[in-house]
Amino acid sequence: SKPTDPQILAGTALLALALAEAERPELARPLLDQVIVDSAITFPANNFRTAAIALFGGVAALYGSGLQRRVFRQALEPKANQFCVFGAGGAVFGTNHHWLARLALADGETATAAEHLHAAAQMCDSAGATFWAERARSELVGLDNDEPSLRPRRPDWQKET
């Protein structure tokens, strides 16, 4: 790329989430660490921002620090009742409630996570987004069964004190 090309920093959210889901924290965490500086999200306010916050929130739920999770939760809360759409509508990643549920669960707030998943399922049912509605319900069942795959996966070197 040329120095004059626009930087779409939010695009790294897709890569970071894929790496996190593939259990590659050594590759996902450095991307996560680049997007929050001094308790602020560094990528610009454009049509990628909200979805990038949600997807990086998913990474933070698995491997992030408490500060990172708080920053993403605070940024997503006002947009909880929106679908998570990347760019100009090319990719939908459920609702922001889904990602807030993951962040709440990572912070040990199971009841809050369940509330967000219920809201996500209702929104998706109303919109006819059956895949995402079923995913929210599946994660609700996972909460009830204390499913380990929904819990944060912090390596020993990154345990919080």
Side-chain angles (χ1 to χ4, degrees):
S1 72
K2 300 178 296 204
T4 56
D5 289 342
Q7 298 296 309
I8 302 179
L9 302 175
T12 59
L14 296 166
L15 175 60
L17 184 62
L19 292 167
E21 293 288 336
E23 298 185 6
R24 298 297 307 268
E26 74 282 6
L27 298 174
R29 184 62 198 253
L31 295 171
L32 178 63
D33 291 342
Q34 290 177 32
V35 299
I36 295 182
V37 176
D38 297 328
S39 300
I41 297 169
T42 60
F43 37 83
N46 59 27
N47 60 327
F48 296 99
R49 184 179 175 89
T50 301
I53 290 168
L55 298 181
F56 269 119
V59 177
L62 294 172
Y63 298 113
S65 69
L67 171 67
Q68 289 169 328
R69 291 190 306 275
R70 278 190 301 281
V71 169
F72 288 122
R73 283 180 79 174
Q74 289 170 354
L76 277 181
E77 282 290 345
K79 298 171 181 5
N81 288 320
Q82 296 177 8
F83 275 85
C84 178
V85 180
F86 206 79
V92 177
F93 295 92
T95 70
N96 290 331
H97 278 296
H98 176 86
W99 301 101
L100 283 163
R102 288 186 174 195
L103 287 162
L105 185 61
D107 287 334
E109 300 173 26
T110 305
T112 301
E115 290 171 14
H116 281 298
L117 289 170
H118 279 294
Q122 288 176 335
M123 277 183 67
C124 292
D125 282 336
S126 295
T130 54
F131 171 83
W132 290 104
E134 290 305 315
R135 181 157 180 180
R137 281 191 268 284
S138 173
E139 291 194 18
L140 272 167
V141 170
L143 285 181
D144 291 339
N145 297 328
D146 199 31
E147 176 65 39
S149 67
L150 297 176
R151 299 287 172 192
R153 301 178 210 150
R154 293 187 190 89
D156 289 339
W157 54 265
Q158 198 218 344
K159 297 284 186 212
E160 291 186 56
T161 56

